[in-house]
């Protein structure tokens, strides 16, 4: 994630900031310029960057301090490029704020790579739409947890997983090494991207050569996975145990990890991070490039492996579990490379 600079005072700004802590300027993120602007009032509900430029309105969700994204003047939607995809929202405002923060980070990558994301007004049948579902308790006292999933562009997210205690409980019950709200967004959107850039783009054969036959019975694969677990030595070929369930899940997990790795490396780039394996050795990883502009995934992997090892060691030193407990084997790298080439518009 990029670091930003306040145009009014030069202070460092962060993606989620609503106001500059140094000069107090109101801030808004423009999806068009992909920049966090220090703003001044223009007229009525319009705002303009302090250093000039186009005028904007704030997303309608700014009224409840949920969103800090801007809508260009002349855009007919009341909502920003991210929030206009939301169909069902939770009643809990704190949950909604955490959900939108994760959704913004998802759309940041979509904007950087110019990935397709039509909403339902642009594509009524298959456009991207989010339903944030609340758990329900029936009249007989039966409790029903909402389910996270994807169905032809409709992405359902269990709103309760915006609460750390709930999400950690599920992570532990499922035996997962990693589970985050942002991870849900990235994984489920991997299914949407498969629809758009593989199925609808005539690239099924190329994808099947890497991930396997997506026509394998999905329901039978689910039942087998939860009854028997992943196959032996699954880590040789899959980024996660869940990815081994079916080629669709393998693709979605791989897509999510391309986003994890790229966005984390961009953060490292803006902080000027350099990683050395030993004090007397040369540099093992220096993120002196802009990851979203890289076309060779191997360049990302070569920087990510030592960086993730260092991050995991820091987590261990703080008594926490490793942040990135995944192994990029040659087969996994091949899958990551395929997805990276696909979303960066290269031939696959």
């Amino acid at each position: 994630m990029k670091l930003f600079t306040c145009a009014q005072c030069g202070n460092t700004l962060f993606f989620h900031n609503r106001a500059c802590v140094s000069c107090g300027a109101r801030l808004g993120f423009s999806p068009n310029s992909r920049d966090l602007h220090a703003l001044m009032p223009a007229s009525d509900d319009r705002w303009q960057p302090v250093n000039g430029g186009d005028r904007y309105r704030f997303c309608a969700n700014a009224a409840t301090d949920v969103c800090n994204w801007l809508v260009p003047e002349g855009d007919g939607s009341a909502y920003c490029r991210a929030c206009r995809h939301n169909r069902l929202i939770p009643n809990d405002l704190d949950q909604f704020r955490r959900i939108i923060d994760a959704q913004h980070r998802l759309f940041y990558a979509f904007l950087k790579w110019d990935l397709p994301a039509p909403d339902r007004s642009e594509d009524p049948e298959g456009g991207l739409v989010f339903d944030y579902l609340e758990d329900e308790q029936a009249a007989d006292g039966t409790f029903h947890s909402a389910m996270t999933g994807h169905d032809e562009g409709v992405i359902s997210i269990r709103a309760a997983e915006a609460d750390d205690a709930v999400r950690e409980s599920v992570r532990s019950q499922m035996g997962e090494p990693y589970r985050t709200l942002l991870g849900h967004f990235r994984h489920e959107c991997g299914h949407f991207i498969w629809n758009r850039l593989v199925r609808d783009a005539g690239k099924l054969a190329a994808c099947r050569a890497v991930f396997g036959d997506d026509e394998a019975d999905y329901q039978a694969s689910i039942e087998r996975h939860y009854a028997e677990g992943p196959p032996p030595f699954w880590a040789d070929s899959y980024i996660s145990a869940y990815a081994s369930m079916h080629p669709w899940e393998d693709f979605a997990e791989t897509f999510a990890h391309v986003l994890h790795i790229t966005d984390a490396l961009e953060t490292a780039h803006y902080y000027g991070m350099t990683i050395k394996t030993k004090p007397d050795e040369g540099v093992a990883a220096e993120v002196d490039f802009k990851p979203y502009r890289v076309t060779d995934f191997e360049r990302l992997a070569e920087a990510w492996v030592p960086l993730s090892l260092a991050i995991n060691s820091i987590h261990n030193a703080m008594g926490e579990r490793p942040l990135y407990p995944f192994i990029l084997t040659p087969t996994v790298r091949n899958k990551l490379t395929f997805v990276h080439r696909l979303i960066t518009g290269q031939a696959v």
Side-chain angles (χ1 to χ4, degrees):
M1 178 61 64
K2 180 181 177 180
L3 295 177
F4 302 90
T5 302
C6 178
Q8 182 159 283
C9 71
N11 188 48
T12 297
L13 304 174
F14 301 94
F15 184 60
H16 62 277
N17 286 159
R18 266 65 165 166
C20 176
V21 297
S22 177
C23 69
R26 187 167 185 183
L27 305 174
F29 180 80
S30 166
N32 288 1
S33 65
R34 299 192 294 274
D35 199 4
L36 188 62
H37 293 292
L39 303 166
M40 60 182 178
S43 63
D44 299 328
D45 62 345
R46 303 299 195 267
W47 295 78
Q48 189 172 22
V50 296
N51 54 353
D54 297 333
R55 300 201 306 177
Y56 301 91
R57 291 176 285 106
F58 271 96
C59 174
N61 280 329
T64 50
D65 195 32
V66 168
C67 180
N68 70 333
W69 280 31
L70 300 168
V71 181
E73 189 175 43
D75 188 320
S77 177
Y79 295 96
C80 71
R81 287 274 294 278
C83 291
R84 67 187 60 179
H85 292 271
N86 299 336
R87 185 169 65 179
L88 298 176
I89 65 173
N91 291 310
D92 188 310
L93 200 57
D94 288 333
Q95 284 184 347
F96 193 32
R97 287 193 186 101
R98 290 190 286 271
I99 287 168
I100 293 300
D101 180 67
Q103 186 189 34
H104 282 170
R105 292 175 184 275
L106 167 77
F107 272 90
Y108 176 84
F110 269 59
L111 293 168
K112 295 284 277 190
W113 279 317
D114 195 26
L115 294 176
D119 60 26
R120 284 293 158 125
S121 67
E122 299 168 301
D123 181 357
E125 299 299 323
L128 184 61
V129 62
F130 295 94
D131 289 341
Y132 304 121
L133 305 179
E134 296 182 314
D135 298 338
E136 297 180 351
Q137 188 165 8
D140 62 0
T142 306
F143 182 80
H144 299 280
S145 296
M147 298 295 291
T148 293
H150 169 267
D151 182 18
E152 291 299 325
V154 178
I155 291 177
S156 302
I157 301 286
R158 184 189 179 197
E161 290 217 29
D163 298 326
D164 292 343
V166 172
R167 190 177 61 257
E168 175 60 20
S169 176
V170 175
R171 187 201 67 78
S172 180
Q173 291 171 14
M174 300 291 287
E176 297 174 338
Y178 170 91
R179 190 180 183 95
T180 67
L181 195 56
L182 180 55
H184 286 326
F185 272 105
R186 288 172 171 166
H187 173 94
E188 300 305 336
C189 279
H191 293 298
F192 174 78
I193 289 297
W194 185 89
N195 285 358
R196 291 279 163 169
L197 298 187
V198 176
R199 184 194 66 187
D200 299 345
K203 296 180 180 178
L204 282 170
C207 190
R208 286 168 181 166
V210 176
F211 290 93
D213 184 9
D214 54 89
E215 292 186 329
D217 189 302
Y218 183 71
Q219 187 58 42
S221 296
I222 292 175
E223 293 171 0
R224 181 174 59 253
H225 178 81
Y226 285 112
E228 303 174 6
F233 310 111
W234 62 265
D236 292 342
S237 303
Y238 302 95
I239 190 66
S240 69
Y242 191 75
S244 70
M245 183 168 67
H246 187 277
W248 285 341
E249 300 303 341
D250 194 7
F251 182 93
E253 280 285 87
T254 304
F255 174 83
H257 279 263
V258 171
L259 269 63
H260 293 335
I261 291 168
T262 306
D263 209 45
L265 284 174
E266 187 184 55
T267 304
H269 167 75
Y270 277 95
Y271 275 97
M273 288 186 177
T274 297
I275 305 298
K276 295 183 180 180
T277 53
K278 294 180 181 179
D280 59 343
E281 291 184 356
V283 173
E286 183 174 4
V287 193
D288 57 354
F289 54 89
K290 294 188 176 181
Y292 279 102
R293 296 182 183 177
V294 168
T295 56
D296 181 5
F297 183 80
E298 274 302 306
R299 190 178 185 193
L300 300 180
E302 290 302 318
W304 176 243
V305 170
L307 179 63
S308 62
L309 289 173
I311 293 171
N312 287 344
S313 296
I314 291 170
H315 268 237
N316 290 337
M318 295 293 292
E320 294 284 352
R321 64 180 181 273
L323 179 66
Y324 192 80
F326 305 97
I327 301 173
L328 305 189
T329 66
T331 301
V332 169
R333 285 196 188 202
N334 186 48
K335 292 176 179 180
L336 292 163
T337 297
F338 178 91
V339 172
H340 185 256
R341 290 183 64 85
L342 189 72
I343 63 181
T344 55
Q346 302 177 72
V348 296

Short mmCIF file of all heavy atoms in Angstrom, two decimals, residues 75 138 162 200 235 318 340-341 343:
data_model
loop_
_atom_site.label_atom_id
_atom_site.label_comp_id
_atom_site.label_asym_id
_atom_site.label_seq_id
_atom_site.Cartn_x
_atom_site.Cartn_y
_atom_site.Cartn_z
N ASP A 75 -20.33 12.67 -11.95
CA ASP A 75 -20.67 11.26 -11.80
C ASP A 75 -22.05 11.18 -11.15
O ASP A 75 -22.29 11.76 -10.09
CB ASP A 75 -19.63 10.57 -10.92
CG ASP A 75 -19.79 9.05 -10.86
OD1 ASP A 75 -20.94 8.58 -10.78
OD2 ASP A 75 -18.77 8.35 -10.88
N ALA A 138 -33.47 -18.12 14.56
CA ALA A 138 -34.86 -18.45 14.24
C ALA A 138 -35.73 -18.37 15.50
O ALA A 138 -35.23 -18.27 16.63
CB ALA A 138 -34.93 -19.85 13.64
N ALA A 162 -16.19 -9.36 10.62
CA ALA A 162 -15.52 -8.08 10.84
C ALA A 162 -15.11 -7.92 12.29
O ALA A 162 -14.32 -7.02 12.63
CB ALA A 162 -16.45 -6.93 10.44
N ASP A 200 -14.96 -16.22 -19.54
CA ASP A 200 -15.57 -15.35 -20.56
C ASP A 200 -14.55 -14.83 -21.57
O ASP A 200 -14.93 -14.20 -22.55
CB ASP A 200 -16.28 -14.17 -19.90
CG ASP A 200 -17.41 -14.62 -18.97
OD1 ASP A 200 -17.82 -15.79 -19.06
OD2 ASP A 200 -17.86 -13.79 -18.15
N ALA A 235 1.10 -29.49 0.01
CA ALA A 235 1.87 -28.24 0.01
C ALA A 235 2.87 -28.15 -1.13
O ALA A 235 3.36 -27.07 -1.43
CB ALA A 235 2.57 -28.06 1.36
N MET A 318 7.45 -11.53 18.90
CA MET A 318 6.40 -10.87 19.69
C MET A 318 5.40 -11.87 20.26
O MET A 318 4.38 -11.49 20.83
CB MET A 318 5.66 -9.85 18.81
CG MET A 318 6.51 -8.69 18.35
SD MET A 318 7.01 -7.61 19.71
CE MET A 318 5.44 -6.88 20.18
N HIS A 340 -0.75 -13.82 -12.23
CA HIS A 340 -0.15 -12.49 -12.35
C HIS A 340 -0.12 -12.04 -13.82
O HIS A 340 -0.44 -10.88 -14.13
CB HIS A 340 1.26 -12.49 -11.76
CG HIS A 340 1.90 -11.14 -11.74
ND1 HIS A 340 2.88 -10.77 -12.64
CD2 HIS A 340 1.71 -10.06 -10.92
CE1 HIS A 340 3.27 -9.54 -12.39
NE2 HIS A 340 2.58 -9.08 -11.35
N ARG A 341 0.26 -12.93 -14.72
CA ARG A 341 0.26 -12.59 -16.14
C ARG A 341 -1.16 -12.28 -16.62
O ARG A 341 -1.37 -11.35 -17.42
CB ARG A 341 0.86 -13.73 -16.97
CG ARG A 341 2.36 -13.93 -16.78
CD ARG A 341 2.90 -15.04 -17.68
NE ARG A 341 2.75 -14.69 -19.09
CZ ARG A 341 3.62 -13.95 -19.77
NH1 ARG A 341 4.69 -13.46 -19.18
NH2 ARG A 341 3.40 -13.69 -21.06
N ILE A 343 -3.76 -11.06 -14.89
CA ILE A 343 -4.32 -9.80 -14.40
C ILE A 343 -3.50 -8.58 -14.81
O ILE A 343 -3.98 -7.45 -14.69
CB ILE A 343 -4.52 -9.82 -12.86
CG1 ILE A 343 -3.19 -9.97 -12.12
CG2 ILE A 343 -5.49 -10.91 -12.47
CD1 ILE A 343 -3.33 -10.02 -10.61
#
